Amino acid sequence: RREPLDKELDNLSAVRYMKVIRRWGGWRLFQRLLETMAAISFKHQKTIAVVAMRWALQQEGVSAVIVGSRLGNPACDTSAESAGLFAFELDDEDLSAIDTVVGMGRDLRRKIGDIGAEYIVEENGAPLAVF
């Protein structure tokens, strides 16, 4: 899949996510991560999103994940698939495959911490809100 042009990013979330992807390692590396997670999701019969949440939960110091959804949009309701999050665990092979790709990018926890500039909305150069 080709990298979207900035002008094709049609909402604030997409702009923020692209900033994170670029800071981490770029579009190609992100696609490689998605391919790795797709193979693991097929193995476990889970979605890529559930595999990503499971990976996060299996990281040291992580005890919860926040699952987002868009209110009022049934197409974005992920509650049924997310319910399967606790019905499986990633094995060492899965974790190693994901960690290998993640390790090719920058450590964003060190680079931007818990919250980075991509979550600050500015108006006329002044911070307006933090998400």
Side-chain angles (χ1 to χ4, degrees), residues 58-71:
Q58 288 183 232
Q59 300 306 296
E60 185 177 334
V62 177
S63 58
V65 293
I66 298 172
V67 179
S69 66
R70 294 183 185 261
L71 297 174

Side-chain angles (χ1 to χ4, degrees), residues 17-60:
Y17 293 141
M18 185 55 79
K19 283 183 181 181
V20 171
I21 289 167
R22 287 176 178 153
R23 280 184 177 182
W24 171 62
W27 187 254
R28 281 183 159 165
L29 188 56
F30 180 61
Q31 294 305 301
R32 184 168 177 181
L33 178 61
L34 289 176
E35 290 165 3
T36 300
M37 290 195 159
I40 294 167
S41 70
F42 181 78
K43 171 182 167 182
H44 292 284
Q45 295 300 291
K46 303 292 181 189
T47 64
I48 291 174
V50 169
V51 168
M53 289 186 285
R54 184 74 246 171
W55 175 82
L57 282 173
Q58 288 183 232
Q59 300 306 296
E60 185 177 334

Side-chain angles (χ1 to χ4, degrees), residues 10-131:
D10 60 355
N11 63 64
L12 189 56
S13 290
V15 171
R16 279 193 230 129
Y17 293 141
M18 185 55 79
K19 283 183 181 181
V20 171
I21 289 167
R22 287 176 178 153
R23 280 184 177 182
W24 171 62
W27 187 254
R28 281 183 159 165
L29 188 56
F30 180 61
Q31 294 305 301
R32 184 168 177 181
L33 178 61
L34 289 176
E35 290 165 3
T36 300
M37 290 195 159
I40 294 167
S41 70
F42 181 78
K43 171 182 167 182
H44 292 284
Q45 295 300 291
K46 303 292 181 189
T47 64
I48 291 174
V50 169
V51 168
M53 289 186 285
R54 184 74 246 171
W55 175 82
L57 282 173
Q58 288 183 232
Q59 300 306 296
E60 185 177 334
V62 177
S63 58
V65 293
I66 298 172
V67 179
S69 66
R70 294 183 185 261
L71 297 174
N73 187 345
C76 294
D77 183 2
T78 61
S79 57
E81 72 185 50
S82 297
L85 176 61
F86 300 102
F88 81 110
E89 284 195 2
L90 300 174
D91 60 31
D92 290 341
E93 183 180 345
D94 300 332
L95 294 169
S96 178
I98 295 169
D99 290 343
T100 296
V101 180
V102 168
M104 293 176 184
R106 292 179 192 88
D107 183 348
L108 291 184
R109 283 181 276 190
R110 288 186 180 191
K111 186 168 179 65
I112 63 176
D114 286 340
I115 186 166
E118 67 278 357
Y119 294 101
I120 299 172
V121 176
E122 294 185 1
E123 187 171 286
N124 299 323
L128 180 65
V130 176
F131 293 92

